[in-house]
DNA sequence: ATCATTGCAAATTGTTTGCAGAATG
DNA sequence: CATTCTGCAAACAATTTGCAATGAT
């Protein structure tokens, strides 16, 4: 588990939160799902280990884990909604193919120049922690050119 | 109204849909709201003219107007959700300041080079019709540097 | 005269909340 | 042993759907 290196006990305690089995199971689930995990993904994973853990508990755990900085939330597209990943894992953006549904990851670097330019031009500082771009992947673009 | 130039009657009829007062009022509302209009914005506007038009009717009208290509839907951020605008209006992206909440518009041109590069590198064709970037505007960035 | 469309109400989905009992520090 | 936390159920908000009545073509 990549989060073992982080001191999750200290992270929780630092804000007066307690360490509970439910929260650790949720944290593990997010970790094992390796990026862009939805609440449903997480619940499925969690309930394999303990089927009595309620959905509301998962929501609350994710809120708290996000607040203390152990996990990071970001918005995928409208259908997928909010997704979670372990904090500190390599940032990347997503390319969402609207034809086959596949998700591709790209490094943040590729977008850095534009964000720089937006800063220069508009004085606006883009938070580049996560971005989901819709479009067509190579294979699907060949099948249905133009979209 | 900028949509009068479009033949909305033909657009609706071409797919077997009928032209109803409710649909025209919704179309007008989207038009007058001038970009990124939420369902609630639209409902408020619509109900000024006719308070008997139901929310479900507005949802259905927006679906159909989008399907026939008279309006375009896109996702703002998670809180704002889906927004609508008249099709054919100048495309632009949005910068959402997370401190003051203001929305800035930027032209699509600035992002064109990156999308080109993503195409070259990943073979992925980004749909650049609308993008909402979160961050801090100039004024707020000065107040709370670093975010 | 058809058949799509509307308004209403109820169903659905996704998320949040109140509370009594259980568990943590 | 004082609080925080959990599971349950109920509350909510946003969107969708079934249906009888209405209205467009």
């Amino acid at each position: 588990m990549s989060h073992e290196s982080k001191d999750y006990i200290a992270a929780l305690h630092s804000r007066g939160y307690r360490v509970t089995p439910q929260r650790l199971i949720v944290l593990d689930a997010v970790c094992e799902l390796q990026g862009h995990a939805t609440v449903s993904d997480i619940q499925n994973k969690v309930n394999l280990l303990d089927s009595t853990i309620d959905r509301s508990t998962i929501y609350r755990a994710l809120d708290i884990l996000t607040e203390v900085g152990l996990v990071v939330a970001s918005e995928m597209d409208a259908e997928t909604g909010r997704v979670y990943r372990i904090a500190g894992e390599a940032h990347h953006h997503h390319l969402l193919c609207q034809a086959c549904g596949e998700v591709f990851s790209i490094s943040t670097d590729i977008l850095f120049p534009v964000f720089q330019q937006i800063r220069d031009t508009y004085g606006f500082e883009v938070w580049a922690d996560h971005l989901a771009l819709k479009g067509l992947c190579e294979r699907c673009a060949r099948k249905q050119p133009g979209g």
Side-chain angles (χ1 to χ4, degrees), chain A:
Chain A
M1 289 173 252
S2 74
H3 62 269
E4 287 199 4
S5 55
K6 293 227 160 204
D7 193 346
Y8 56 87
I9 296 178
L12 286 165
H13 284 178
S14 70
R15 309 236 186 160
Y17 295 122
R18 294 181 175 174
V19 177
T20 69
Q22 289 89 340
R23 287 173 183 168
L24 295 187
I25 290 173
V26 170
L27 184 59
D28 276 3
V30 173
C31 190
E32 280 161 28
L33 285 165
Q34 306 239 50
H36 59 274
T38 65
V39 173
S40 294
D41 293 337
I42 294 164
Q43 181 175 27
N44 292 336
K45 199 92 182 171
V46 162
N47 284 348
L48 288 180
L49 265 168
D50 181 344
S51 63
T52 71
I53 295 180
D54 192 74
R55 191 164 249 257
S56 67
T57 301
I58 295 175
Y59 276 107
R60 291 189 270 224
L62 288 170
D63 279 354
I64 285 170
L65 293 172
T66 302
E67 186 191 330
V68 304
L70 289 170
V71 317
V72 177
S74 44
E75 297 299 326
M76 193 69 85
D77 55 330
E79 307 84 67
T80 311
R82 185 165 296 178
V83 294
Y84 296 87
R85 65 168 192 274
I86 293 293
E89 285 186 351
H91 284 178
H92 54 263
H93 304 290
H94 290 124
L95 302 175
L96 313 178
C97 181
Q98 301 299 289
C100 67
E102 199 154 345
V103 178
F104 303 87
S105 295
I106 63 174
S107 98
T108 54
D109 303 344
I110 198 168
L111 287 163
F112 185 78
V114 191
F115 294 159
Q116 187 73 50
Q117 193 185 344
I118 288 175
R119 185 202 313 255
D120 294 346
T121 311
Y122 300 95
F124 190 98
E125 181 134 3
V126 176
W127 290 349
D129 64 323
H130 178 270
L131 208 61
L133 299 172
K134 298 185 195 177
L136 293 178
C137 72
E138 188 158 26
R139 191 144 34 94
C140 295
R142 252 201 310 275
K143 287 185 210 158
Q144 39 183 288

